[in-house]
Amino acid sequence: MPPSPHPWLPRIRASEKPRYLAIADVIAEELRQGRLTPGDRLPPQRSLADALELDFTTIARGYSEAQRRGLIESRVGNGTFVRDLPASFLLPTPVQAERAAPTPCQPAPCQPVARGARPRRPADLSMNLPPEIEDPVLLARMRQGLAEVAEDLVGVLRYQEFGGAPEDRQAGADWLARRGLIAPLDRLLVCPGTHSALLAVLGSLAKAGDVVCAEALAYPGLRGLAAQLGLELIGLPLDADGIRPDAFAEICRTRAPKALYCNPTLNNPTTITSSLDRRAALIEIARRHNVAIIEDDAYGALPVGGPPPLAALAPDLVFHIAGLSKSLGAGLRIAYLVAPEARRMWQLSAYLRATTVMASPLTAALATRWITDGTADAMLDAVRAEAAARQSYARQVLPVTDTGSKPEAFHLWLPLPPDWSRSSFAATLRASDIGLVVSDAFAVSGPPPEAVRVCLGGGGAAEIRSALDKIAHTLSQPPEFASAFL
């Protein structure tokens, strides 16, 4: 007679989550139901793997997840045991539940106070952030993920392993694999946002006085970091395909830069996405002159079927930084940093330890949960759809071109007509509480063009449309009359 299946097996198979998360969920459920109690010894991982018909690695990850949640602990030489847990974690007995039940004239204990919806703010077209999720079904799914992370609230408020817990690094690798980038876990770090990762890479590659190249119009934060580190930042001219290879080659010959910073997919601010041929040309020049490449892939997840990251084309040369705040939500301050060589890790780690200590375990755990259960993909699809709708409306009312507007982007680059200067245009709209960012903020070197960046994510769809209508009306008027009609 064949042996009976392990009692956990049906629940693990029925779960829609990855098997290792299902194992941790079952352990939590067993504890709440009283079938496991503090001090109980869990089965050895290998014997449990055989009983559940799973591989050893999955069981090990499941135990690691349960340990991360604070449910179990490993004792060297003795095995894995259930930890002492607070009484609030366990389900009440029937008698306790009856005593705790409210009487008809008594309010239920611990009822959360209902919070109203946050009031709508005026549209902010100066901050580049993705459109907020408004689908109630998806919002409920996001809240569920947050609630599941909060089950181990004590655990995620502790100091965590530097560079990210194993499951957080694995989630980062899984997210990057969607872009065609295979990231070895021993070369991947979980960082508290793109800015901190960029500071660590710049600090590990260059010292005060060294030259770093970038697009002539680049992320404003880069200028601040370069100034902080005492680096000389040189802007490279752009064409419709991104950085001009001839200009990069000339700087490599004459100034010996330590690194090239680039934002080759939906460039901030111009929305330019460099072609595969242009990426290959820049890599060839960098390799010939032994120049490291820093790829800021903040918007890389937004296009569907776009060109591969530079790091996928030259993994031995490129430092790849992929943040989540520009694809999922501005407050999700998590970035995945992939180094080109394992030997670079100690330099990056030293810099990150000195400047940030660690990424927030709570934020990292939430990002991991959303990535592993598919919520992040659903959020990304929603952001793409809303960005495309807003770009479509912008193209109807504004004189933007293919080089300044992309359907996947939630910002656009708006060159101004000859009568308008960037400062007077921005000041006119500011009087109507519409903020834009003028080109001066992005200009690395050379005179800034008469252009502004318009962001489409900082408000509801109706507010953004109203602001775009006002911008269109302003452009249709001579500068001396425009303010009178706003």
Side-chain angles (χ1 to χ4, degrees):
M1 186 173 177
S4 300
H6 195 283
W8 293 2
L9 188 57
R11 283 176 286 166
I12 290 172
R13 286 181 172 173
S15 175
E16 296 181 355
K17 297 180 182 179
R19 292 288 188 253
Y20 80 96
L21 291 177
I23 291 168
D25 289 346
V26 167
I27 292 173
E29 183 183 347
E30 294 284 288
L31 285 163
R32 289 197 188 92
Q33 298 293 343
R35 290 188 288 267
L36 282 176
T37 58
D40 284 353
R41 186 176 187 271
L42 293 183
Q45 296 180 23
R46 197 165 298 281
S47 62
L48 186 61
D50 293 337
L52 295 178
E53 303 172 20
L54 296 171
D55 60 87
F56 175 80
T57 302
T58 301
I59 300 298
R61 290 188 68 192
Y63 274 30
S64 176
E65 170 68 13
Q67 188 167 356
R68 189 184 68 80
R69 297 183 191 181
L71 306 177
I72 60 177
E73 61 185 355
S74 178
R75 301 174 189 170
V76 178
N78 292 321
T80 304
F81 295 82
V82 176
R83 294 184 56 188
D84 288 329
L85 298 167
S88 59
F89 182 86
L90 306 176
L91 289 176
T93 66
V95 173
Q96 291 171 329
E98 183 179 350
R99 289 174 178 170
T103 63
C105 60
Q106 185 181 29
C110 302
Q111 288 294 322
V113 178
R115 297 181 63 185
R118 292 185 180 182
R120 281 286 190 192
R121 294 168 293 182
D124 182 0
L125 278 63
S126 65
M127 291 298 291
N128 210 22
L129 66 162
E132 294 180 350
I133 306 296
E134 297 190 352
D135 175 23
V137 175
L138 180 52
L139 283 171
R141 184 175 174 182
M142 293 162 62
R143 292 189 187 101
Q144 177 61 31
L146 180 58
E148 291 175 0
V149 168
E151 289 180 2
D152 180 32
L153 189 57
V154 173
V156 294
L157 293 179
R158 299 189 186 109
Y159 281 109
Q160 301 287 321
E161 180 179 343
F162 177 77
E167 58 271 22
D168 297 330
R169 294 194 193 203
Q170 184 62 56
D174 293 344
W175 184 252
L176 297 176
R178 292 159 166 80
R179 287 274 286 128
L181 175 58
I182 306 303
L185 296 188
D186 64 344
R187 292 197 277 114
L188 187 151
L189 292 169
V190 181
C191 305
T194 294
H195 207 74
S196 63
L198 184 54
L199 174 62
V201 175
L202 286 170
S204 68
L205 288 175
K207 62 182 185 300
D210 285 341
V211 171
V212 171
C213 298
E215 295 104 336
L217 296 167
Y219 166 52
L222 176 68
R223 294 170 56 187
L225 292 175
Q228 181 89 15
L229 296 170
L231 306 178
E232 181 182 356
L233 202 56
I234 296 180
L236 300 175
L238 304 171
D239 59 21
D241 204 9
I243 294 172
R244 283 175 33 198
D246 60 327
F248 179 39
E250 178 63 21
I251 290 296
C252 287
R253 284 192 297 268
T254 59
R255 298 300 308 276
K258 294 295 183 181
L260 167 67
Y261 165 92
C262 59
N263 173 205
T265 301
L266 299 178
N267 167 266
N268 178 22
T270 66
T271 76
I272 293 172
T273 293
S274 297
S275 67
L276 181 60
D277 287 345
R278 178 59 58 88
R279 293 169 191 240
L282 295 175
I283 288 170
E284 189 278 326
I285 295 167
R287 194 180 296 284
R288 189 184 341 136
H289 293 277
N290 195 29
V291 176
I293 296 178
I294 306 170
E295 180 178 28
D296 183 354
D297 205 32
Y299 308 95
L302 295 172
V304 177
L310 295 170
L313 302 173
D316 61 321
L317 186 67
V318 179
F319 292 82
H320 182 86
I321 305 172
L324 298 180
S325 64
K326 298 300 186 185
S327 52
L328 301 182
L332 197 63
R333 306 299 299 174
I334 290 293
Y336 304 113
L337 166 60
V338 183
E341 301 171 286
R343 68 181 181 87
R344 298 279 192 179
M345 292 293 283
W346 73 266
Q347 295 173 299
L348 294 172
S349 298
Y351 223 99
L352 284 166
R353 283 182 189 276
T355 56
T356 65
V357 182
M358 65 178 182
S360 162
L362 178 59
T363 309
L366 181 59
T368 294
R369 182 55 52 93
W370 282 346
I371 290 171
T372 54
D373 69 11
T375 302
D377 294 303
M379 294 168 65
L380 182 59
D381 287 342
V383 167
R384 286 169 173 158
E386 184 59 29
R390 297 184 183 193
Q391 286 281 1
S392 176
Y393 187 78
R395 291 171 71 92
Q396 293 176 36
V397 299
L398 297 180
V400 293
T401 65
D402 289 340
T403 57
S405 168
K406 300 293 188 301
E408 310 91 351
F410 41 78
H411 70 277
L412 56 87
W413 186 238
L414 183 62
L416 298 174
D419 290 345
W420 280 101
S421 71
R422 57 193 185 277
S423 58
S424 61
F425 185 73
T428 299
L429 286 166
R430 197 179 306 120
S432 293
D433 294 324
I434 297 175
L436 305 170
V437 183
V438 297
S439 58
D440 306 63
F442 309 99
V444 173
S445 55
E450 297 296 345
V452 295
R453 186 191 69 182
V454 180
C455 300
L456 305 177
E463 289 84 1
I464 295 296
R465 287 191 174 210
S466 175
L468 291 174
D469 288 340
K470 289 181 180 179
I471 293 173
H473 180 79
T474 303
L475 286 171
S476 70
Q477 303 293 323
E480 57 271 23
F481 298 125
S483 60
F485 293 96
L486 288 175

